[in-house]
Amino acid sequence: MLETKTNRDAKDRRESLNKSRETIVFMLKLAWHKKPVLFLIYGVRLLRDVFDRAWQILLPKLLMDELQLFLTGAEAARHLHNICMYAAIAVGVSLLAGIIGNVVDNQARSVMGEWFREYISVDIAKRAMEMDFEHTEDPDALDALNKAREGMTWYSGGVEGVLNEFFRLIGNVIVLCGGIGVVLTTCPLLIPVQLAALGGFLYFNMRNNKIEVESFERLSARNRIWGYFLFQLTNPCYGKDIRLYHSAGMMGRKTKLLLDKITEDWRLESVGTRKNSWAMDGINTLRDAVSYFYIGYLAIMRKISLGDFSMCVAAASVLYQSLFSIAGGLQEITKRCNYAHRYLEFLEYPAAMEKGSRSVKKGEHTIAFVDVSFRYPRADNYVLRHINLTIQPGEHLSIVGLNGAGKTTLVKLLSRLYDVTEGAILIDGVNIKEYSEEEYRRLFAVVFQDFQLFAFSMKENIALGEVEHAAEEKIVDILRLTGLYEDVQKLPEGMDTMIFKSYDEHGTELSGGQQQKTAIARALYRDAPIVILDEPTAALDPIAEYEIYRQFETLVGGKTAIYISHRMSSCRFCDKIAVFADDTIREYGTHEELVDKEGGIYAEMFHEQAKYYTDIA
Ligand code: ADP
């Protein structure tokens, strides 16, 4: 048992050391590429630190020796002059060190620190947006993202926080070497005293660090959920549901429960570290007492001069400070690196999907689902089984079926938000996994049911990634096609009007139908060869819906189109209809072939809806 624990501890230490090494090398390279001036800043500070401490050791001896000579009377004027000169140098050195410290620390901490903080936040955000969609629903990936964010901010201090500790450590090692030299020649027994004290300090500090790192693991997961609750409670877009379903109380209670757990975590951390901190204070006091007793004894026994006595006291203090700083610094840097390493791990987070490099051929495309089955990651049940379907170039396919039949899932598979579990999807006879992701995605313009508009301008929402080269005439044409033109004309700044009021008080709130039209306009602007509309008209009023269908040919043109709709009338506009039920395609054919099929699902659904409309009429 003990053996196993020792082995585990040794393994943990090795891992921790590796992480520290990797993090420091990464940070050094990043700093060198992005802001090499940081090295100049740390270099100047290192020189200042070393010089300052060397002077702290030497000055007492120089002063004491001169004072003693001055008091003995020989060449008193010369010694007085030297005393004044040393005092002046001491003042000058301290002033200069202060000024350099101020300028350099301000530069290093505020300016560079802030720069790197922003750089890392943007980098993490960019990578989060680029990561495989599947990861956005994977709690492990989301935790990794959160730990990368937290690990690179206040836990480690980010690039500046880690490098600051690293260069401090180098400075302390140089000072330590000087201190050891002085102590060895004057009061050598001080070395084992300092080392013993250091051993004790290291031991207790290490225990504290372990407690803090364990606490970080727990807190990071809780903080993510905490952020979710806060976001839900305050985000205006949830306002209606929260108020109408009186969920504020329920969410408040959940938040409080979580907050209690977070507070308990902090309390446990504080209780755990308290005893170790007391032990460290005790060790420091004991070390001081033994050291001063020893140096005092040497002076009283006249084994060292008064000047050496002062130097020894100063050297002992500097020696301990640097030992202390090195020991603390090593642990601190290891701790910081272990936090910051989360960022490196996030950068290397394994992709959920295979990445190909093949180019997509130009022109028209044939889509084929070959015996495709799929279940969502971490789910037990298949939502699609043995799907075999071919969509010819330019064909308009309508997919119908009850809620939960797997229609949207099929679209997600085709647009490669997920990879199939079994079987294959082929485009032009090639497995889609072989295509370059970027080129492949350009094939599609998709409007999902749960499309999102952003708090940007109307124009930006439509052109998105291509907004810098957006052709206004093209946007106007599309606005006309989707029936949005008149509405946009009425907005205070036309298509430059911001959507939502979150970031602009003059922003506009669009109706559900207008939002859906905007999403359709975005898809059309993309000019992709395959258009997929998932419930494109659900939020539209009957007239707008009719308009969209009437213009369907003009909107989609000769492109391949896939429609998912509950309105059976829309199927008439399509060449083929696939009816999804029981996790698979149960019927497939044209409207005419299916509409009167005896006992057919499509026939039943169509006639049910037709009857409803006729009854109303
Ligand atoms: P439809 O579009 O036909 O209404 P979906 O394709 O959205 O149906 O959903 C099919 C099934 O897959 C449903 O049972 C749904 O609960 C499940 N499902 C959808 N998205 C996910 C997901 N991200 N993770 C797990 N299951 C999901």
Side-chain angles (χ1 to χ4, degrees):
M1 180 73 193
L2 187 70
E3 174 80 27
T4 326
K5 188 176 179 310
T6 319
N7 283 349
R8 210 173 41 236
D9 285 351
K11 192 166 159 261
D12 283 355
R13 267 198 299 279
R14 265 199 314 278
E15 258 178 34
S16 173
L17 269 177
N18 276 344
K19 282 183 183 174
S20 304
R21 188 178 43 76
E22 280 172 24
T23 310
I24 292 172
V25 171
F26 179 91
M27 301 288 185
L28 285 170
K29 280 188 184 161
L30 185 69
W32 182 251
H33 284 118
K34 300 288 172 195
K35 289 277 168 199
V37 68
L38 201 59
F39 288 90
L40 180 70
I41 291 169
Y42 285 131
V44 170
R45 204 180 61 182
L46 192 137
L47 275 179
R48 189 241 9 218
D49 284 352
V50 172
F51 191 68
D52 191 31
R53 286 317 166 80
W55 188 242
Q56 254 181 52
I57 298 177
L58 278 178
L59 180 69
K61 176 177 166 60
L62 293 173
L63 278 177
M64 274 295 172
D65 285 348
E66 289 296 334
L67 200 62
Q68 225 175 0
L69 292 171
F70 171 73
L71 291 175
T72 55
E75 294 186 85
R78 189 162 69 85
H79 294 304
L80 186 64
H81 169 262
N82 285 351
I83 289 170
C84 294
M85 184 179 73
Y86 291 142
I89 292 177
V91 173
V93 165
S94 139
L95 204 68
L96 198 65
I99 293 171
I100 292 177
N102 208 322
V103 173
V104 164
D105 275 348
N106 273 347
Q107 277 294 315
R109 285 252 152 72
S110 314
V111 183
M112 292 296 142
E114 201 44 51
W115 191 91
F116 275 107
R117 249 187 302 285
E118 275 170 30
Y119 172 81
I120 298 288
S121 313
V122 172
D123 192 45
I124 292 179
K126 194 163 154 274
R127 281 168 201 268
M129 286 192 269
E130 285 168 356
M131 73 184 181
D132 286 336
F133 179 78
E134 196 180 312
H135 286 326
T136 61
E137 293 175 348
D138 174 0
D140 292 338
L142 295 178
D143 262 352
L145 165 65
N146 202 43
K147 281 182 178 149
R149 271 196 192 122
E150 289 186 345
M152 279 303 278
T153 46
W154 45 290
Y155 279 102
S156 70
V159 177
E160 194 272 324
V162 170
L163 290 186
N164 192 38
E165 282 302 321
F166 177 68
F167 281 98
R168 234 181 237 296
L169 197 66
I170 294 181
N172 279 316
V173 170
I174 298 173
V175 172
L176 176 72
C177 295
I180 288 178
V182 173
V183 170
L184 272 182
T185 51
T186 44
C187 39
L189 283 182
L190 269 188
I191 304 263
V193 174
Q194 309 291 343
L195 285 178
L198 179 73
F201 171 85
L202 268 179
Y203 174 73
F204 289 106
N205 203 28
M206 205 165 63
R207 286 174 52 152
N208 268 358
N209 284 347
K210 198 158 177 254
I211 293 171
E212 283 172 23
V213 169
E214 282 166 3
S215 177
F216 165 76
E217 297 287 334
R218 279 195 305 275
L219 276 166
S220 186
R222 294 210 207 283
N223 283 342
R224 186 167 70 79
I225 307 171
W226 167 241
Y228 174 72
F229 278 134
L230 271 192
F231 179 70
Q232 290 290 73
L233 285 174
T234 55
N235 191 327
C237 75
Y238 296 108
K240 287 196 291 299
D241 298 86
I242 287 177
R243 280 163 188 76
L244 293 177
Y245 291 98
H246 305 289
S247 42
M250 179 270 266
M251 289 191 187
R253 277 191 299 283
K254 272 180 177 288
T255 312
K256 167 141 191 348
L257 263 178
L258 191 70
L259 189 61
D260 288 347
K261 284 189 187 147
I262 292 176
T263 315
E264 178 61 10
D265 281 341
W266 280 112
R267 194 188 66 78
L268 285 178
E269 182 185 325
S270 146
V271 169
T273 53
R274 192 186 305 150
K275 283 187 207 130
N276 296 325
S277 303
W278 285 342
M280 286 192 280
D281 289 345
I283 288 172
N284 282 347
T285 314
L286 194 67
R287 176 196 47 92
D288 278 349
V290 174
S291 305
Y292 287 118
F293 180 79
Y294 169 58
I295 303 171
Y297 169 78
L298 289 181
I300 291 166
M301 299 305 284
R302 298 190 184 280
K303 292 189 190 272
I304 54 174
S305 71
L306 257 181
D308 286 343
F309 171 81
S310 321
M311 183 171 73
C312 221
V313 170
S317 154
V318 167
L319 183 76
Y320 185 71
Q321 272 170 25
S322 49
L323 266 177
F324 183 89
S325 306
I326 289 171
L330 272 175
Q331 289 178 335
E332 182 65 25
I333 202 169
T334 312
K335 189 174 77 178
R336 284 180 185 240
C337 284
N338 274 271
Y339 291 136
H341 197 265
R342 300 296 191 165
Y343 168 60
L344 273 68
E345 286 163 30
F346 180 65
L347 299 186
E348 298 294 318
Y349 202 85
M353 302 204 284
E354 278 176 43
K355 310 277 171 200
S357 55
R358 200 168 172 143
S359 288
V360 179
K361 84 169 176 55
K362 300 259 176 300
E364 300 188 310
H365 305 282
T366 307
I367 304 167
F369 287 77
V370 184
D371 204 22
V372 167
S373 296
F374 176 73
R375 67 180 143 77
Y376 279 96
R378 294 169 299 284
D380 296 326
N381 298 331
Y382 277 81
V383 292
L384 290 174
R385 286 174 207 268
H386 307 296
I387 303 290
N388 286 290
L389 174 71
T390 303
I391 307 166
Q392 299 297 344
E395 189 174 286
H396 292 178
L397 172 76
S398 174
I399 300 182
V400 294
L402 297 179
N403 277 336
K407 306 179 295 292
T408 301
T409 304
L410 186 96
V411 171
K412 286 185 193 163
L413 291 178
L414 180 59
S415 46
R416 259 209 109 188
L417 294 180
Y418 295 92
D419 268 343
V420 299
T421 315
E422 284 151 34
I425 302 176
L426 313 180
I427 293 235
D428 306 325
V430 176
N431 191 323
I432 58 174
K433 292 180 184 174
E434 291 181 29
Y435 287 121
S436 127
E437 192 181 357
E438 175 162 5
E439 275 197 41
Y440 183 73
R441 290 256 159 83
R442 288 192 182 281
L443 286 177
F444 300 96
V446 190
V447 182
F448 281 107
Q449 291 169 52
D450 57 351
F451 64 85
Q452 296 290 334
L453 297 185
F454 304 102
F456 301 148
S457 71
M458 194 75 186
K459 180 172 157 190
E460 285 166 325
N461 266 285
I462 292 173
L464 280 182
E466 288 157 39
V467 72
E468 271 143 45
H469 320 284
E472 294 230 344
E473 312 83 68
K474 187 174 162 186
I475 298 184
V476 169
D477 286 348
I478 288 170
L479 287 175
R480 284 212 166 95
L481 272 178
T482 47
L484 265 179
Y485 185 70
E486 309 296 321
D487 296 341
V488 172
Q489 285 296 91
K490 288 182 201 147
L491 295 175
E493 290 174 60
M495 65 174 88
D496 289 317
T497 309
M498 296 298 249
I499 296 184
F500 307 127
K501 294 192 183 291
S502 332
Y503 302 106
D504 184 349
E505 56 182 290
H506 303 299
T508 180
E509 291 290 340
L510 300 179
S511 71
Q514 287 170 327
Q515 290 192 30
Q516 202 153 32
K517 285 180 187 169
T518 310
I520 295 175
R522 176 193 286 169
L524 297 178
Y525 184 85
R526 184 124 200 231
D527 219 0
I530 302 166
V531 179
I532 303 177
L533 303 178
D534 184 353
E535 302 253 16
T537 54
L540 299 186
D541 58 61
I543 299 171
E545 183 191 8
Y546 173 75
E547 272 307 301
I548 291 273
Y549 285 131
R550 204 177 55 80
Q551 302 231 37
F552 182 57
E553 275 306 314
T554 332
L555 284 171
V556 178
K559 292 173 182 173
T560 308
I562 301 175
Y563 258 83
I564 299 180
S565 177
H566 281 298
R567 320 235 179 173
M568 309 306 285
S569 54
S570 68
C571 297
R572 290 171 171 226
F573 297 86
C574 293
D575 305 312
K576 288 280 165 50
I577 298 155
V579 184
F580 277 61
D582 309 326
D583 313 333
T584 195
I585 300 178
R586 292 284 303 277
E587 289 172 17
Y588 178 76
T590 61
H591 172 74
E592 287 69 29
E593 284 165 359
L594 299 179
V595 75
D596 291 321
K597 196 174 158 196
E598 191 87 6
I601 306 170
Y602 179 78
E604 191 188 335
M605 287 169 85
F606 188 86
H607 292 302
E608 268 304 308
Q609 251 183 39
K611 191 173 81 194
Y612 178 68
Y613 280 111
T614 333
D615 286 354
I616 290 173

